[in-house]
Amino acid sequence: MSEKKADLTMEALASLCKRRGFIFQSSEIYGGINGFWDYGPLGVELKRNIKNAWWRAMVQDREDIVGLDSSIIMHPRVWEASGHASGFTDPMVDCKKCKGRWRADQLPETKCPQGGPHEFTEARMFNLMFETNVGPVKDASALAYLRPETAQGIFVQFGNILAIARQKVPFGIAQIGKAFRNEINPRNYTFRSREFEQMELEFFVKPGTDAQWHEYWVAERMKWYTTIGLPAEHLHQYVYKKEELAHYASACVDVMYDFPFGTQELEGIAARGDFDLRRHQEFSGKSMDYFDPETKEKFVPHVVEPSAGVDRIALALLCEAYREEWVPTEEVAGAQVLPAEPGKQPPQGFEARTVMRFAPSVAPVKVAVFPLLKNKPELVEKGRKVFDLLRKRWPAFWDATGAIGRRYRRQDEIGTPYGITIDFQTLEDDTVTLRDRDTMQQIRLKIGELAAKLEETL
Ligand code: ATP
């Protein structure tokens, strides 16, 4: 793990996320609710950028994958067929003294708050699906579940999509949506939540080609993470051993990221054979056969499933982007930016800044526009013109108040890649300054050249 990561505390990150409007505790005014989070004005943009990047790469840029948006509550038989009703359980233990509850494989190392060690109960199985009732009568026939994954929505619509999508195996169906798991012990900020979003692809292949397609998707998905700004050196693969695989799976690789709290899963990529389609065929009585027009063979397709979590990716991007730095002031203009040393003051001529070094493609705001002085109507009017021009293309932010240095810092903290200042020279020759978030270098260019310049990186 890099030094930067080890230094970053989740408290510092959570504090910035709350202060700047990335992430809030759900229902905070009532004391919060464990395992649920709200994404503020910037968080929602970050998540949207992740989902758009995924959708573009998986659906829009390809001819062999189509999309779906299935319902969260489905027929309860779906979960019997999938195995979730009987098998989606974690062993759970309670402490008899403090009433704390943990997964049996994730016991706390801390002492019991009631004194002495915890006194654990025997492990009991705990189903992770949230239950609800459909309709006015609350009896067994009305029982339904909030989906614990989006994948089953895809499997149960396989037949309908096959009939209309004019696709031939190999092809895929992709879906982004909420999933719910009553996790025994939500933790590590948003990493393990009870409500989260998944981005899942079911890629249907000819039996016998599973291994080659699995390998293909592992490589594709690893590449994708680098395009949104997670560097390869912080990404890892965990390859499941034979004995760790589900009985129907032939291979599984987890994509892992170096979080400050350890190297943890962002995505699982599994070759699931024909398990899911075959189970639904059995439980629904509807055929899941595919007829291959070339070989004239009939078969139930096998599936390769890359399944990623939006919230975990957002958290990884936040961890990756967060930097505390010492940056040169006018006094030592041109000096190198230094990494801040925890607990120390910056040296003479430097000042501290917190900056989110998001890749431009995922940054919530792409460009901020600042009129040098807010009480000079000519500057403000000119500034608004530039702002209106840019915001048609990119999410842009207008900030007219405070010292210009402070306005830059505010944008640094939310990771805006570019800042544009309208000053008195602008009024004379129609040029503005363009400031780069990372290098803090400024260049002067014509307003007419701005869009093309920004286009190069945004
Ligand atoms: P874990 O072992 O961490 O509980 P899992 O292996 O059960 O996860 P999958 O069922 O493979 O997870 O789900 C696919 C993806 O959905 C995960 O890689 C993760 O990104 C996301 N995900 C699963 N559970 C949660 C959760 N409780 N909070 C946030 N994201 C989750």
Side-chain angles (χ1 to χ4, degrees):
M1 198 181 301
S2 74
E3 239 168 83
K4 172 187 96 66
K5 289 309 183 43
D7 283 351
L8 169 62
T9 65
M10 294 315 281
E11 288 73 26
L13 182 68
S15 155
L16 177 129
C17 284
K18 181 178 173 188
R19 194 167 72 243
R20 302 315 313 268
F22 283 96
I23 300 172
F24 306 120
Q25 214 183 359
S26 163
S27 326
E28 194 191 270
I29 60 168
Y30 292 100
I33 170 167
N34 195 9
F36 297 89
W37 300 93
D38 292 346
Y39 289 81
L42 294 176
V44 66
E45 297 290 343
L46 178 64
K47 267 178 69 169
R48 199 177 284 257
N49 291 340
I50 295 167
K51 288 185 278 184
N52 286 348
W54 189 89
W55 197 257
R56 174 149 285 286
M58 304 298 265
V59 181
Q60 293 170 335
D61 281 351
R62 305 182 62 111
E63 290 177 68
D64 56 353
I65 299 178
V66 295
L68 174 72
D69 186 13
S70 72
S71 67
I72 286 173
I73 293 175
M74 292 187 273
H75 197 290
R77 289 276 283 167
V78 170
W79 307 112
E80 288 171 35
S82 70
H84 286 86
S86 56
F88 194 54
T89 50
D90 277 338
M92 166 202 86
V93 298
D94 294 299
C95 170
K96 291 182 202 159
K97 290 193 291 184
C98 69
K99 310 290 175 217
R101 176 169 284 181
W102 296 271
R103 255 165 72 165
D105 59 342
Q106 295 176 358
L107 291 179
E109 283 158 19
T110 49
K111 290 232 174 324
C112 178
Q114 300 292 333
H118 290 285
E119 238 177 73
F120 295 120
T121 59
E122 291 281 294
R124 282 171 290 158
M125 296 315 261
F126 176 78
N127 194 296
L128 297 183
M129 281 199 294
F130 280 101
E131 291 180 2
T132 186
N133 297 282
V134 174
V137 186
K138 212 173 164 184
D139 63 11
S141 69
L143 182 66
Y145 302 97
L146 301 190
R147 67 181 176 200
E149 61 172 37
T150 65
Q152 297 305 322
I154 297 178
F155 292 124
V156 301
Q157 290 297 353
F158 172 75
N160 276 335
I161 291 175
L162 186 63
I164 55 90
R166 309 188 62 209
Q167 290 284 350
K168 282 193 269 180
V169 168
F171 80 100
I173 305 175
Q175 163 151 252
I176 299 178
K178 288 269 188 176
F180 303 81
R181 294 182 189 178
N182 197 2
E183 296 281 359
I184 296 168
N185 208 359
R187 62 198 176 135
N188 291 329
Y189 199 21
T190 58
F191 181 83
R192 187 173 299 288
S193 309
R194 290 178 166 143
E195 173 174 343
F196 53 94
E197 263 182 299
Q198 290 187 314
M199 306 188 288
E200 296 196 295
L201 167 68
E202 302 305 327
F203 198 77
F204 300 99
V205 306
K206 201 170 163 180
T209 63
D210 313 47
Q212 86 197 48
W213 279 110
H214 185 256
E215 210 172 291
Y216 168 86
W217 279 111
V218 171
E220 281 295 298
R221 297 301 304 142
M222 291 299 289
K223 251 191 284 167
W224 181 80
Y225 282 99
T226 64
T227 69
I228 59 166
L230 296 179
E233 68 263 30
H234 295 162
L235 293 166
H236 308 278
Q237 293 179 19
Y238 179 81
V239 182
Y240 283 60
K241 300 182 195 79
K242 261 230 133 44
E243 61 274 18
E244 293 172 319
L245 291 171
H247 66 91
Y248 47 79
S250 59
C252 187
V253 170
D254 284 347
V255 180
M256 318 280 283
Y257 172 75
D258 291 331
F259 285 99
F261 46 84
T263 299
Q264 299 274 351
E265 172 182 342
L266 295 178
E267 168 164 352
I269 304 162
R272 300 175 56 87
D274 63 3
F275 176 77
D276 304 273
L277 287 182
R278 204 167 275 290
R279 291 279 287 189
H280 286 299
Q281 176 165 281
E282 191 185 310
F283 277 66
S284 69
K286 302 283 186 306
S287 165
M288 297 289 167
D289 276 343
Y290 171 79
F291 177 74
D292 189 329
E294 271 139 43
T295 61
K296 313 281 179 229
E297 279 174 287
K298 230 168 43 174
F299 57 85
V300 175
H302 284 200
V303 75
V304 175
E305 175 192 83
S307 167
V310 181
D311 309 76
R312 287 190 185 176
I313 297 170
L315 185 61
L317 290 175
L318 287 163
C319 291
E320 187 64 42
Y322 187 97
R323 299 276 200 299
E324 287 174 10
E325 296 176 345
W326 289 337
V327 296
T329 60
E330 299 269 289
E331 207 182 313
V332 291
Q336 283 253 317
V337 173
L338 305 169
E341 293 175 34
K344 292 211 186 130
Q345 289 299 317
Q348 178 72 29
F350 285 78
E351 61 185 22
R353 75 161 177 174
T354 303
V355 57
M356 296 299 278
R357 289 181 177 245
F358 289 123
S361 63
V362 296
V365 179
K366 312 291 185 203
V367 56
V369 180
F370 315 112
L372 189 60
L373 299 169
K374 75 164 179 211
N375 47 12
K376 290 277 181 242
E378 323 85 273
L379 291 180
V380 172
E381 198 184 316
K382 192 78 183 173
R384 288 301 298 190
K385 279 206 184 111
V386 173
F387 177 61
D388 286 338
L389 175 89
L390 296 176
R391 73 168 160 169
K392 286 199 195 90
R393 308 270 307 271
W394 298 287
F397 193 88
W398 170 257
D399 189 357
T401 52
I404 194 76
R406 277 238 295 290
R407 283 185 261 169
Y408 287 152
R409 293 289 172 275
R410 282 205 286 262
Q411 294 305 313
D412 289 345
E413 260 200 343
I414 66 169
T416 306
Y418 295 108
I420 291 165
T421 304
I422 316 296
D423 55 19
F424 291 104
Q425 198 178 326
T426 312
L427 304 178
E428 282 165 28
D429 63 6
D430 238 22
T431 63
V432 295
T433 63
L434 177 69
R435 173 184 180 271
D436 180 291
R437 173 196 68 198
D438 297 341
T439 63
M440 302 196 308
Q441 300 298 315
Q442 303 197 15
I443 53 168
R444 258 205 117 80
L445 74 176
K446 290 266 184 204
I447 290 171
E449 296 163 354
L450 263 178
K453 179 73 192 165
L454 293 177
E455 180 96 321
E456 283 171 21
T457 36
L458 291 180

